[in-house]
Amino acid sequence: MTFGDRLKNLRKKKRLTLGDLEERFDRGKTAFSNYENDIRKPNMHLMTELADFFDVSVDYLLGREELVKEEPEKLELVPIVDISMGQAILKSDNIVGYKKVDKESVEGGEYFYLRITGDESMINSGIKDRDLVLIRKQDEIKDGDIALVTLQNKVSLKYLYSIKDHFVLQADNPKYKPIIIDHGEIKIIGKAIEVIRRL
């Protein structure tokens, strides 16, 4: 199987078009057609980006090794959403990849990974720039949970407390002041479950 065959198979498994890849990796209209037809090969930088995006090794793309077959019933693909804090959330074009996780760890709900970008408001809770935070979608949160919410159509990840008819969004960084807001002015997206540190 050639590099082009492997790339095409991976693309189709994600139900992506050539145009989707060209837009995602900022390449010209014929670039990925040439790659899939083995007319050209990408440079090593793009090869590495493709390997990360499709969750395979560069050696697999180059035909030096085969994928290790996992038992499909034990794995789940969880989408990775990459946005900057303060931007709009959960559009399909925010999904930049998928992470394989043990199916048992994400049973009983709908999950996604949020990649934290350009934000230090929860740094003292161990959530830093470029970390992945596993979010379970739910619209109710207990006091003191770390919640992902939208506030004026912008994203915020903070400790959440309810006081009478107000919510308090509390950062874990003294540089950030608490935000006090009416219940009806925010939408709860989900609860932070775990953090994966990028070294």
Side-chain angles (χ1 to χ4, degrees):
M1 186 182 294
T2 67
F3 166 78
D5 293 332
R6 290 170 187 249
L7 179 61
K8 184 184 292 184
N9 286 345
L10 291 168
R11 173 177 63 80
K12 288 184 175 180
K13 282 181 181 179
K14 282 202 171 188
R15 298 179 181 177
L16 299 172
T17 66
L18 287 170
D20 292 332
L21 290 185
E22 288 157 4
E23 183 178 353
R24 170 68 179 82
F25 294 98
D26 194 24
R27 291 298 187 274
K29 290 186 177 180
T30 61
F32 279 93
S33 176
N34 288 337
Y35 298 153
E36 290 190 359
N37 288 299
D38 292 303
I39 297 172
R40 295 179 55 198
K41 282 187 179 179
N43 59 34
M44 189 52 65
H45 176 73
L46 178 56
M47 191 80 74
T48 302
E49 287 189 327
L50 288 169
D52 289 343
F53 179 72
F54 288 112
D55 196 22
V56 297
S57 68
V58 171
D59 282 340
Y60 170 76
L61 288 176
L62 293 174
R64 297 172 184 162
E65 68 178 21
E66 295 300 318
L67 283 176
V68 176
K69 299 294 184 182
E70 303 276 3
E71 295 182 40
E73 66 274 9
K74 292 186 178 181
L75 294 177
E76 184 81 14
L77 286 176
V78 177
I80 299 172
V81 176
D82 193 351
I83 59 168
S84 295
M85 293 294 99
Q87 289 185 345
I89 180 66
L90 298 183
K91 297 186 296 183
S92 61
D93 55 0
N94 292 137
I95 296 176
V96 297
Y98 295 83
K99 183 174 178 58
K100 292 179 182 177
V101 299
D102 187 328
K103 198 168 187 176
E104 291 183 359
S105 67
V106 291
E107 284 184 337
E110 187 176 353
Y111 294 79
F112 64 93
Y113 280 101
L114 175 68
R115 177 167 285 153
I116 301 298
T117 304
D119 183 74
E120 297 184 345
S121 65
M122 297 296 289
I123 195 168
N124 291 335
S125 291
I127 301 174
K128 301 179 180 179
D129 186 43
R130 307 308 293 169
D131 285 350
L132 289 178
V133 180
L134 181 63
I135 303 292
R136 181 174 62 215
K137 290 186 179 180
Q138 57 189 73
D139 56 13
E140 293 185 359
I141 295 289
K142 294 179 182 177
D143 271 8
D145 283 343
I146 298 177
L148 180 68
V149 304
T150 55
L151 171 63
Q152 297 175 345
N153 295 320
K154 306 295 183 180
V155 177
S156 185
L157 186 71
K158 300 285 190 297
Y159 286 104
L160 185 67
Y161 300 91
S162 181
I163 301 175
K164 295 184 179 180
D165 57 348
H166 292 82
F167 280 126
V168 177
L169 296 173
Q170 177 68 56
D172 201 358
N173 183 333
K175 294 180 181 178
Y176 293 76
K177 295 180 179 180
I179 299 171
I180 301 174
I181 194 162
D182 291 344
H183 281 176
E185 293 188 50
I186 71 170
K187 179 180 179 181
I188 298 172
I189 301 298
K191 174 184 175 181
I193 303 298
E194 68 175 17
V195 180
I196 298 178
R197 173 63 32 75
R198 178 170 177 166
L199 299 177

